[in-house]
Amino acid sequence: MSKQKAEEWAEHWTSSMARTAEAEVVASTRQANFSNCLGKGGESASDGRFTLRYNLRAKLPRDRQAAGIRAIKDELEKQGFEIQGYRSDPAKDPVNLVDARQPEQRFAVSAEDLDDQLIVLVVSTPCLLPPDVEQQEF
């Protein structure tokens, strides 16, 4: 997958989570952070493979954050994600959060409250190899 396609794909996922939570995406907060992949022995390939951590913020008032994060969790479960963590606990920070992993495609998503008006939505990819590139062997 190319970096551009990966970013578009991650944007689709975060926007979908925002819609599920009935939150309004704050477009100016979109961030795509690409990193080089590391091998099991700490090797860094020169074939262009990368990981992406993509996040954005969305407006959702505090009184709707628990329901919004729960709706995201429920939808992810319906889609076959493994829920790695979930809570809605006013004694913790963040109060509301969900972390999930898609087992076949091996990407992860998370959602959590940020403050009284915002939630943050994140997609993290596994190592991706750009198209038309021969994978380097170690």
Side-chain angles (χ1 to χ4, degrees):
M1 184 181 294
S2 71
K3 285 184 175 181
Q4 179 181 343
K5 289 288 184 193
E7 189 170 345
E8 290 169 358
W9 175 82
E11 196 283 327
H12 166 79
W13 271 100
T14 52
S15 292
S16 177
M17 288 191 296
R19 282 190 302 277
T20 298
E22 299 182 2
E24 179 188 342
V25 169
V26 181
S28 64
T29 65
R30 290 184 172 111
Q31 293 182 331
N33 298 302
F34 294 95
S35 301
N36 293 330
C37 294
L38 294 178
K40 291 179 183 172
E43 315 91 350
S44 181
S46 58
D47 57 11
R49 64 184 99 169
F50 64 92
T51 61
L52 169 62
R53 180 177 166 87
Y54 184 93
N55 66 81
L56 60 79
R57 295 174 182 188
K59 292 180 186 176
L60 190 64
R62 175 69 73 191
D63 65 346
R64 293 183 26 225
Q65 290 175 354
I69 302 291
R70 186 173 46 255
I72 291 170
K73 178 188 80 73
D74 293 347
E75 182 59 30
L76 292 171
E77 285 178 321
K78 286 180 194 173
Q79 293 186 30
F81 280 72
E82 297 170 346
I83 303 303
Q84 307 290 302
Y86 171 74
R87 77 167 173 242
S88 184
D89 183 347
K92 305 272 183 171
D93 185 27
V95 173
N96 303 288
L97 70 82
V98 62
D99 293 311
R101 183 176 178 275
Q102 208 292 336
E104 287 84 33
Q105 297 175 333
R106 299 182 5 247
F107 69 94
V109 297
S110 65
E112 63 184 55
D113 57 76
L114 193 58
D115 61 26
D116 288 343
Q117 294 298 317
L118 295 170
I119 60 173
V120 63
L121 306 167
V122 180
V123 172
S124 299
T125 70
C127 193
L128 299 172
L129 187 67
D132 303 321
V133 173
E134 187 173 326
Q135 185 171 348
Q136 181 180 355
E137 298 293 329
F138 292 99

